[in-house]
Amino acid sequence: MPGICCFLMQARYEEYAMFLPHHLVSFASAGPRLAVATAAALAITAPTAVAAPAPAAPGNVDLAITSAPPTIAPGRSGIQKLTIANRGARTTGEVQVTFATPSYVNVDRASKLPKGCKIYYKNLDPTVNEVIACRLPRGLAKGKPVTLSVPLRVTERARLTGIVLGRAAAVPAPGSKDVESNLSDNWAITQLMLTQPTPPVPSGKNKVGLYLTRDTPATDVDGRTDAVFHYGNVGPNESGDIQITVVTPFYTRIDTERELPTGCTIELNDPVPGVPEIVVCKVDGLDVEDDDTLTLPLRMREGAPAGVLYGLALIAPATESDVDVDQQDNLSASGVHVPSRGKAGCDRK
């Protein structure tokens, strides 16, 4: 019934709103850089409005993934725990788990990965996310969750305290005959808490103040949309070239039928649902108080769940001669909104 569906979605928002930090809203008028940081913080923590998961259809699996946030200081190592559960029928094939590391974080090469896991995309640049892929054996049953302990190392490029985000997903592996009954909880934005001591700002470099925000566009009937990122430089100095890294949201890929902006390269392009794609864009530098936009063409994969799906984004100096004096507003969650056009949506008559 449409009334019940909309009531569940509204109730979830009201419950979440009780925990929103009110100071984020009250400080939004304190200046352009703080206002941008406030908007980014609210965007990152915004919930995905979905109805309560429906019971799995007979014979269908119902996978879900959650994470436990570790606390790690720059230059130190720690463990990100991912838990995969199944609320439906026992899996008859493998489960594919993918995890894009948070910004400024690499896979810890000094520690072993969990059994069945490998580094799927390697990149030691701390401003570009790495991706781990794991295969869980068949036989994942209801009430028997599996936890993967992923070793991570925070690089000393991170000079902030607070939360940085990763992206995890669990879906039936390619070749599996298992049918997933509810994709809305097959992905998660993971959190890693950065603590002090933070490395000092490098001396002798050109100090800049980059920031990044983004829109949350809705997809059209063909599953296409444009992700628009707004970025700028508040100084104190003109910046050199800039690098923007984007990890696509769950079940979202770069629309290769349309042209990418100049300077953008698809670093990880994968046809498998659940695997994130990664785009790295090199754009021109900005004068003080100058700003610009970057537009990426996106397309949803077939079967993408309705609601707001999130990925990751980061802005950083592309040249070694520049240093951003405050990284708090360099990160953003890159979201897309998939309208509920099916019979299960709240607009159902």
Side-chain angles (χ1 to χ4, degrees), residues 101-106 121 123-130 155 157-158 243-247 278-280 282 313-318 327 330-331:
T101 61
S103 301
Y104 306 118
V105 178
N106 289 123
Y121 171 69
N123 195 325
L124 292 177
D125 181 344
T127 66
V128 180
N129 314 74
E130 295 193 302
T155 70
R157 182 73 177 268
Q243 178 172 293
I244 299 175
T245 302
V246 177
V247 178
I278 297 177
V279 178
V280 176
K282 299 288 181 63
L314 172 73
I315 189 170
Q327 297 175 333
N330 293 169
L331 303 101

Side-chain angles (χ1 to χ4, degrees), residues 3 12 20 42 61 64 93 99-100 118 134 166 185 192 215 223 233 246 257 266 278 289 293 296 300 310 316 339 347:
R12 183 167 178 176
L20 277 177
L42 288 173
V61 302
F99 173 56
K118 64 178 181 180
C134 307
D185 54 0
L192 185 153
D215 297 332
N233 173 29
V246 177
E257 295 180 2
I266 303 178
I278 297 177
E289 300 299 341
T293 61
L296 294 181
M300 307 311 298
Y310 285 114
D347 294 330

